Amino acid sequence: DSGVTQTPKHLITATGQRVTLRCSPRSGDLSVYWYQQSLDQGLQFLIQYYNGEERAKGNILERFSAQQFPDLHSELNLSSLELGDSALYFCASSVEQLNTEAFFGQGTRLTVV
Amino acid sequence: QKEVEQDPGPLSVPEGAIVSLNCTYSNSAFQYFMWYRQYSRKGPELLMYTYSSGNKEDGRFTAQVDKSSKYISLFIRDSQPSDSATYLCAMTYNFNKFYFGSGTKLNVKP
């Protein structure tokens, strides 16, 4: 168990809908990363937050947004969902902003039908 | 062209074999290189990381980086069935963004 908690574990929703994925980082970790893992694209970095502030952006679509709250948990919001958004979404956390050792949660499997 | 290329496999070896997993990359600015192991239905877990060129050993695992060739390797000695997983290479130049390979699926047969 990495100590990173993601909810829900599975989510099935229809195209056009909006969902929110939640991540609780390990105790003491200030940095949160979001990744998308699909069969054809592999693991893609989406966005990083450090202590409530956005620090880096990767291949995150405009339909997606994230935030990190004062208690350090983070949410990833996905809207106007398309079939191609079906994927595993992982959250990872690390102590520092610049830290190679990020611990991953077990992921949320999103299925868009 | 993808920043990081990795053969997806699957790679099937008998127990006890030496396994070689590899990635190539295109961005010479990458300085830190990592290997993750991902079991089915689980999140990736960090195995090893190395800085710049050279070798690093940890038990049965050896990570090797050749920056001149833009090529990194992970060797697993005395492979065990419990090593069966997908292995992902990753790299970064600023620790903010991490670039992952697509993963190589390894199956170690008893």
Side-chain angles (χ1 to χ4, degrees):
Chain A
D1 182 5
S2 67
V4 179
T5 304
Q6 288 187 250
T7 56
K9 285 191 169 50
H10 302 277
L11 197 49
I12 301 175
T13 190
T15 54
Q17 294 298 304
R18 173 190 168 95
V19 297
T20 297
L21 312 183
R22 184 188 167 100
C23 170
S24 295
R26 291 187 322 154
S27 178
D29 284 1
L30 299 178
S31 196
V32 168
Y33 310 78
W34 284 98
Y35 290 87
Q36 179 193 57
Q37 188 175 41
S38 57
L39 281 174
D40 57 343
Q41 291 289 322
L43 199 62
Q44 299 280 318
F45 168 73
L46 295 177
I47 197 163
Q48 182 207 8
Y49 279 83
Y50 178 76
N51 204 20
E53 293 189 8
E54 183 185 302
R55 278 290 187 251
K57 243 179 181 177
N59 302 324
I60 187 166
L61 299 171
E62 284 194 13
R63 300 183 285 109
F64 296 1
S65 64
Q67 52 184 328
Q68 186 179 28
F69 294 87
D71 67 353
L72 301 176
H73 91 271
S74 178
E75 292 181 355
L76 179 67
N77 300 296
L78 314 176
S79 61
S80 303
L81 284 167
E82 302 174 359
L83 295 177
D85 297 327
S86 296
L88 262 172
Y89 290 84
F90 286 106
C91 166
S93 74
S94 64
V95 173
E96 302 287 347
Q97 179 182 346
L98 304 179
N99 195 333
T100 56
E101 191 154 4
F103 293 84
F104 281 76
Q106 297 214 7
T108 293
R109 182 173 292 281
L110 173 67
T111 303
V112 182
V113 297
Chain B
Q1 183 191 5
K2 284 185 181 179
E3 300 241 18
V4 182
E5 298 276 1
Q6 186 175 8
D7 186 334
L11 183 60
S12 190
V13 301
E15 184 175 353
I18 296 175
V19 176
S20 172
L21 304 165
N22 311 294
C23 288
T24 58
Y25 62 95
S26 55
N27 190 340
S28 58
F30 288 135
Q31 293 285 346
Y32 290 84
F33 304 89
M34 288 138 281
W35 285 96
Y36 285 83
R37 177 175 61 197
Q38 186 175 19
Y39 291 112
S40 181
R41 302 180 189 280
K42 301 284 188 185
E45 55 176 324
L46 180 67
L47 276 177
M48 298 180 70
Y49 73 88
T50 55
Y51 170 66
S52 197
S53 284
N55 292 0
K56 185 173 182 179
E57 193 173 315
D58 184 2
R60 297 186 294 112
F61 298 89
T62 300
Q64 198 171 75
V65 174
D66 182 349
K67 289 195 73 181
S68 61
S69 303
K70 299 194 185 73
Y71 189 87
I72 69 170
S73 301
L74 178 71
F75 298 97
I76 307 174
R77 288 183 299 282
D78 187 24
S79 56
Q80 302 294 309
S82 58
D83 295 326
S84 298
T86 297
Y87 290 79
L88 301 150
C89 64
M91 45 201 79
T92 183
Y93 49 85
N94 63 1
F95 294 104
N96 284 359
K97 288 188 183 183
F98 291 80
Y99 298 82
F100 283 79
S102 54
T104 300
K105 189 168 184 177
L106 172 66
N107 181 31
V108 181
K109 297 173 293 186

